[in-house]
């Protein structure tokens, strides 16, 4: 089992609230990712980070923001939640020796199921 | 356009039976292909990973195959168990970027009945 954690696991909030989804990993991985997944659909990359102080937007446009102040921590923030943000959010990390079999293999957290009313 | 297509979309089998899931991809340049298992409400967990030179890899009752020429992969599950009920996702990585860009299929939802 990968050492990557997400909190909360489930969150139900009202429209307009500010929320932060937490993601932490203890594997010392340099790269971290946030994905959004709707039921029966593929994962869509919304943010990624190569390392501390590095953040980039992914393929799917998202109103969320991320920060990477520490290697192990990659929180995602929504300043004003809306019903369209209702989804499952998955955090992942990757690392390992360049060229090795585990390099770029992504390990996923358990996910946060967000419902915005 | 880089894509990963999986079939069938869903599958129901009886406990103890075998099944095979399919994955076709158009990702180029190809780096590796992974099969993940995702239980409901959980994150995906890697089952197998195959590079260009590998055509078969097993992990217990799971056996994955890869045909890099036709860009097809399959995941065969032997003697299915109730705990195999999950979504199985085919993920292909390209080697065109340092990020190791992943392309995800929509998954095959497998249900094993007693």
């Amino acid at each position: 089992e990968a050492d990557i954690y997400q909190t909360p696991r489930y969150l139900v909030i009202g429209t307009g609230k500010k929320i932060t989804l937490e993601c932490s990993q203890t594997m010392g991985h340099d790269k971290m990712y946030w994905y959004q997944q709707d039921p029966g659909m593929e994962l869509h990359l919304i943010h990624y980070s190569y390392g501390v102080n590095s953040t980039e937007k992914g393929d799917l446009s998202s109103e969320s923001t991320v920060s990477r102040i520490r290697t192990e921590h990659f929180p995602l923030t929504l300043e004003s939640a809306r019903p369209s943000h209702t989804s499952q959010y998955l955090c992942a990390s990757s690392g390992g020796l360049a060229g090795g079999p585990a390099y770029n293999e992504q390990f996923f957290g358990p996910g946060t199921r967000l419902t915005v009313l | 356009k880089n894509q990963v297509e999986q079939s069938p979309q869903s599958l129901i089998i009886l406990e103890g039976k075998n099944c095979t899931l399919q994955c076709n991809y158009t990702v180029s340049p190809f780096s590796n292909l992974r099969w993940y298992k995702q239980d409901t409400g959980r994150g995906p967990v890697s089952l197998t990973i195959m590079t260009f030179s590998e055509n078969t890899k097993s992990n217990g009752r799971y056996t994955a195959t890869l045909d890099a020429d036709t860009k097809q992969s399959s995941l065969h599950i032997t003697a299915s168990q109730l705990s195999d009920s999950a979504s199985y996702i085919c993920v292909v990585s390209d080697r065109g970027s340092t990020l190791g860009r992943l392309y995800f299929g929509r998954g095959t939802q497998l249900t094993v009945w007693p």
Side-chain angles (χ1 to χ4, degrees), chain A residues 1-5 24-27 29 91 93 106-110, chain B residues 42 44-46:
Chain A
E1 186 116 355
D3 296 320
I4 180 165
Y5 310 98
S24 295
Q25 51 96 4
T26 59
M27 297 172 282
H29 286 168
C91 179
S93 71
Q106 293 187 19
F107 296 88
F108 287 85
Chain B
R42 308 287 298 182
V45 175
S46 180

Side-chain angles (χ1 to χ4, degrees), chain B residues 26-112:
Chain B
T26 59
V27 177
S28 180
F30 175 86
S31 177
N32 56 61
L33 184 147
R34 301 177 175 93
W35 283 93
Y36 280 87
K37 178 186 180 186
Q38 184 176 22
D39 292 312
T40 301
R42 308 287 298 182
V45 175
S46 180
L47 295 174
T48 64
I49 176 172
M50 287 187 294
T51 59
F52 185 87
S53 59
E54 298 174 299
N55 53 30
T56 302
K57 183 163 282 189
S58 293
N59 177 5
R61 294 181 296 103
Y62 302 103
T63 299
T65 65
L66 173 65
D67 186 333
D69 292 330
T70 61
K71 298 186 177 181
Q72 296 179 326
S73 176
S74 66
L75 180 68
H76 186 74
I77 304 175
T78 304
S80 60
Q81 300 175 358
L82 299 179
S83 59
D84 292 333
S85 294
S87 178
Y88 291 84
I89 304 173
C90 177
V91 184
V92 181
S93 176
D94 74 13
R95 50 183 172 84
S97 69
T98 57
L99 180 65
R101 177 77 168 83
L102 298 185
Y103 296 87
F104 292 82
R106 293 187 176 186
T108 292
Q109 183 64 47
L110 175 66
T111 303
V112 181

